[in-house]
Amino acid sequence: MVDFGLIDEWQPAPGRVVSWAATPRSREYAAAAPVHSTPPSHQQEHYLRQAYRHRGAEYRVSGLCLVTAEVPTVLDRDAMTRAVNEFLFRHDTFRSWFSQAADGTVHRHLLEPGQIDFAPVDHGRIDSAESIRDLVQRQTPRPPQWDCFTFWAIEHGESTTVYLAVDHLHTDGVGQHISCFELACLYAKHAWDQAPPLPAPASYIEYCARERAASAQLTQASPDVATWLRLLRGNDGELPSFPLDLGIRAGDTHRSAHRTVALFGEDEAARFEKLCRDHGGEFAGGVFAAAALAERELADSDYYFGITPLNTRSTFEEMTSIGWYVALVPVAFPIGIRASFERMVARAQRAYENGMRLKSATIHRVLELAPTGSGIEVAPDWSNPMISYVDARDFAGSEFFDFARGGLYGNRAASEEALIWINRLPAETTISVIYPDNPVAHASVDRYLTALATIFRAAAREPR
């Protein structure tokens, strides 16, 4: 099982804490790093602009991703130091930082491959879980500072808790799993000379360059752009929103709350998947069929319009690369007043596959191209709800999730919408939601989760 939640919910055992952070010399190199011609990805630029707008906030508005694992051995600090530095050398996203010019342009600055050096810092014994959580969040810089990623261990004598904190700017969900597996392999290599050789990952900077080159070719007349614009016009010129009130009023800022519920075990997941396939869909189609039926029940909707993030890694080398390889795509289809789950699955699956075809037309570029007077009014600091389905059984090292007692946590960043992850793991499938921390949103998310889980479980029930 993998634990999901907020960093505030993580309960690390006490021990001697050591971190690996950039040396002063590396920070000097970063400060002098020249501007590079490749801009950030569209997703990164939107994220950075929000970080710039909230630079003076009392809390970290940007997302901090924490990956944890338990290792039943005494830590070899020298081996860990070598593993951390080799890890950073392998992935070029960590050589970038970003600045904003007076005209608002976001520029990439790039360090040379040999200019990064992380060294251990001993923080002594810490007995409070709260103090450990606070330390990692205080010691990991916010973007756009270069070194917004740190590495940590808690020594418990005969065992060790290893964790890394990476700002969302440099990672996505797949990247977090890659990081966990690769760091384990690199540590085994340097501690025991036992790990198999790791393949060379793709360059994330080259990916950003290709994305920008492709999006520059898009126009209002491009078929994928036209599809996006048609969907937005049909939604009163707005992006989708959560179907229930989240208690957000104009000018409000809320930090994040979290809920995770176990949906069903692997036997039930297999039955759910079989039902979907028997009726013309896949597990992903079943996810959106269930979401649509929940909206029909809760909001009397007759049309489903949602957004889902897609992993855009397309080559073997990219599947081992860390970065923010994500496109947001639409999933839209009519619900039907009395349509059953079985009837909805094929419709939802087609909508999901149609959305996948739009992943090269990033929504950020589409909104730039929206014509004046089109009725599409989306604020520059827009946010959107999403439902993400991830089958983590395919990730390298997934068979060790239970053994390592892995955890994926996020900070209590700013939250204006409901973000939903449905994660299929080797032993169980779970639903996790991050949403605004206020009483109205708590009640709405409770209602939504109850309705959604009921639909899922009914579909996965053993045939009579």
Side-chain angles (χ1 to χ4, degrees):
M1 177 179 177
V2 177
D3 289 329
F4 297 92
L6 297 174
I7 295 175
D8 291 359
E9 299 167 319
W10 179 44
Q11 295 295 328
R16 192 174 190 89
V17 177
V18 58
S19 67
W20 284 261
T23 62
R25 184 64 171 159
S26 285
R27 293 192 182 99
E28 291 175 6
Y29 283 131
V35 170
H36 190 269
S37 59
T38 300
S41 71
H42 284 288
Q43 183 82 29
Q44 284 181 311
E45 182 177 2
H46 181 71
Y47 178 83
L48 283 163
R49 291 188 185 282
Q50 289 183 321
Y52 294 137
R53 279 191 290 270
H54 297 285
R55 190 176 295 174
E58 294 180 359
Y59 63 95
R60 188 187 191 111
V61 174
S62 61
L64 183 64
C65 306
L66 192 71
V67 183
T68 71
E70 305 295 327
V71 182
T73 185
V74 176
L75 179 72
D76 181 333
R77 291 192 185 186
D78 290 340
M80 188 66 179
T81 301
R82 292 193 294 272
V84 164
N85 281 294
E86 184 172 353
F87 174 80
L88 293 171
F89 181 83
R90 285 170 53 81
H91 300 285
D92 64 3
T93 187
F94 297 116
R95 293 196 285 119
S96 294
W97 65 273
F98 302 91
S99 63
Q100 188 174 40
D103 64 356
T105 303
V106 178
H107 294 291
R108 179 192 301 273
H109 298 255
L110 190 65
L111 286 79
E112 295 296 329
Q115 293 180 330
I116 297 179
D117 181 34
F118 272 45
V121 179
D122 194 324
H123 300 274
R125 182 176 175 83
I126 301 179
D127 292 325
S128 162
E130 181 180 2
S131 296
I132 293 173
R133 295 193 301 261
D134 181 63
L135 183 64
V136 66
Q137 293 182 86
R138 283 190 291 105
Q139 294 288 319
T140 307
R142 306 180 189 186
Q145 186 169 326
W146 159 59
D147 53 334
C148 52
F149 38 89
T150 53
F151 303 78
W152 299 77
I154 310 171
E155 299 172 329
H156 310 295
E158 297 303 314
S159 66
T160 307
T161 300
V162 179
Y163 53 112
L164 61 147
V166 183
D167 194 273
H168 204 345
L169 178 68
H170 290 292
T171 191
D172 53 20
V174 174
Q176 292 169 51
H177 284 89
I178 294 170
S179 299
C180 187
F181 175 73
E182 184 171 301
L183 270 172
C185 289
L186 291 172
Y187 179 80
K189 168 187 171 182
H190 292 293
W192 308 302
D193 194 25
Q194 290 183 351
L198 291 170
S203 164
Y204 181 66
I205 296 172
E206 291 178 5
Y207 166 83
C208 292
R210 291 196 304 274
E211 181 201 63
R212 288 289 184 159
S215 69
Q217 301 300 312
L218 297 173
T219 69
Q220 293 176 15
S222 301
D224 292 353
V225 174
T227 298
W228 259 117
L229 294 176
R230 173 177 55 80
L231 290 171
L232 292 171
R233 290 190 190 99
N235 198 52
D236 297 327
E238 299 177 350
L239 291 168
S241 59
F242 190 67
L244 299 175
D245 187 2
L246 291 174
I248 298 292
R249 304 295 178 256
D252 284 356
T253 300
H254 294 267
R255 299 189 72 176
S256 302
H258 159 255
R259 287 281 307 280
T260 288
V261 298
L263 191 55
F264 36 55
E266 181 54 25
D267 288 346
E268 294 167 295
R271 287 199 298 271
F272 179 84
E273 184 172 53
K274 183 178 186 304
L275 179 69
C276 294
R277 288 177 173 171
D278 287 347
H279 291 85
E282 296 290 341
F283 202 113
V287 166
F288 291 101
L293 293 175
E295 287 206 15
R296 184 179 70 183
E297 176 184 334
L298 296 171
D300 199 26
S301 300
D302 60 3
Y303 188 79
Y304 180 80
F305 180 25
I307 286 179
T308 188
L310 291 183
N311 174 24
T312 55
R313 293 170 175 85
S314 59
T315 66
F316 176 77
E317 291 78 14
E318 285 182 349
M319 287 305 298
T320 64
S321 175
I322 294 169
W324 202 345
Y325 288 88
V326 169
L328 301 174
V329 301
V331 181
F333 56 95
I335 298 174
I337 298 174
R338 288 180 293 275
S340 64
F341 177 86
E342 288 81 358
R343 288 186 59 191
M344 292 293 296
V345 168
R347 190 180 302 173
Q349 184 69 35
R350 286 195 301 271
Y352 176 70
E353 292 172 358
N354 288 338
M356 290 176 66
R357 298 186 181 99
L358 302 182
K359 67 181 181 181
S360 296
T362 170
I363 181 61
H364 308 86
R365 178 62 175 150
V366 168
L367 293 175
E368 290 175 358
L369 292 170
T372 303
S374 65
I376 296 174
E377 301 291 339
V378 178
D381 58 346
W382 57 268
S383 61
N384 60 274
M386 71 168 200
I387 295 181
S388 171
Y389 167 62
V390 176
D391 188 345
R393 299 173 307 161
D394 296 333
F395 294 155
S398 63
E399 66 272 22
F400 301 116
F401 287 170
D402 289 347
F403 175 74
R405 296 172 58 196
L408 300 175
Y409 301 93
N411 64 313
R412 293 188 68 224
S415 178
E416 298 177 20
E417 271 290 356
L419 308 178
I420 301 170
W421 291 266
I422 297 175
N423 295 296
R424 188 175 181 185
L425 301 162
E428 69 173 358
T429 299
T430 63
I431 305 176
S432 295
V433 188
I434 298 292
Y435 59 96
D437 189 5
N438 67 66
V440 173
H442 280 288
S444 292
V445 168
D446 281 346
R447 288 182 60 204
Y448 183 85
L449 281 177
T450 298
L452 188 63
T454 298
I455 294 165
F456 268 109
R457 290 166 184 157
R461 191 172 297 134
E462 188 85 54
R464 293 180 180 177

